[in-house]
Amino acid sequence: MERGAGGPGFDMNERVREPEWRRAAQALLSGCVDLGDAGQRLALLEQVCRGLGDALYPDFLTLLAYVGENGDAQACAVVASTLLEGLRSGRIPSGRRQAWGGARQGGAWRSLGPLEYLCAQQEPPDAVSWSEARFRREGQALLRLLGSDADTRRLYIERLMALADDPLEGGLSRQARSGLRRMAQAWGEGETPAAVCERYLESLAEPRGGLGALAAGFRR
């Protein structure tokens, strides 16, 4: 991916009104490359997230996915190493999402990082507007981006497993956490990004627990 067009000063709000992913991705990458310190690069990503706000966090995911899909190895490694700093410091750029059953919990919210946020959007109410095709495309791109750095990949797999094993993680349903576990296992075993994404979709397609599982049992 070439540097240049847009530059680090590119107005992200303008990009939201007129999505020009190539220009925005180049601007983000230019900023990351120009900042030699991982902490400064992470601060840049955090600034982009704050500028977009929670409602437009999915646009940030699309921006990262564009880098993962179109960037060369060096470009992906620069952004992945920045996200690694976020994983190590507990500052991974995240989006707030209403907790599972949040309406019954007084509107509780949880913060989710890029990959798990994308996964959560496959469930209601977001599933109405998020197609499986978009999940596959952006999910595979994010996996390629995160996997371009071995340490980032390792720590993100650990992150997914921790989320999957946390019964108090209100931002994700039990079925979603099961899907994250399958993804992490497949990713750790070296399966392709396409196969890793399918593991999550397969988990969502299974009958839900509780009354749903009981009803499925009677149907069999």
Side-chain angles (χ1 to χ4, degrees), residues 16-150:
V16 173
R17 292 193 299 270
E18 185 66 32
E20 299 175 359
W21 302 116
R22 177 182 173 83
R23 182 181 172 205
Q26 287 178 328
L28 182 66
L29 181 59
S30 293
C32 286
V33 170
D34 290 341
L35 295 170
D37 179 76
Q40 292 179 318
R41 294 197 299 267
L42 178 59
L44 173 63
L45 293 190
E46 291 176 316
Q47 181 181 357
V48 172
C49 278
R50 285 194 300 269
L52 291 172
D54 291 326
L56 295 177
Y57 183 74
D59 282 353
F60 178 70
L61 302 185
T62 300
L63 185 58
L64 291 181
Y66 191 95
V67 175
E69 190 172 32
N70 298 283
D72 58 24
Q74 181 180 10
C76 289
V78 167
V79 178
S81 66
T82 305
L83 295 173
L84 174 62
E85 177 66 19
L87 289 169
R88 286 174 169 167
S89 63
R91 293 165 52 200
I92 186 77
S94 302
R96 291 199 319 149
R97 188 176 188 274
Q98 193 165 37
W100 184 256
R104 298 190 299 274
Q105 300 173 17
W109 292 76
R110 296 291 185 273
S111 293
L112 298 173
L115 193 54
E116 59 271 26
Y117 190 105
L118 182 67
C119 290
Q121 287 197 303
Q122 287 301 115
E123 294 197 300
D126 302 292
V128 175
S129 58
W130 276 73
S131 67
E132 288 187 4
R134 182 175 180 181
F135 170 77
R136 288 186 176 97
R137 183 179 68 253
E138 296 198 355
Q140 291 175 38
L142 284 176
L143 287 165
R144 283 193 291 270
L145 176 64
L146 294 164
S148 65
D149 178 87

Side-chain angles (χ1 to χ4, degrees), residues 153 157 181-192 196 199:
R153 174 178 174 272
I157 289 173
R181 181 179 296 106
R182 293 187 184 185
M183 287 184 73
Q185 291 171 341
W187 198 9
E189 292 169 0
E191 292 197 27
T192 65
V196 173
R199 297 297 172 266

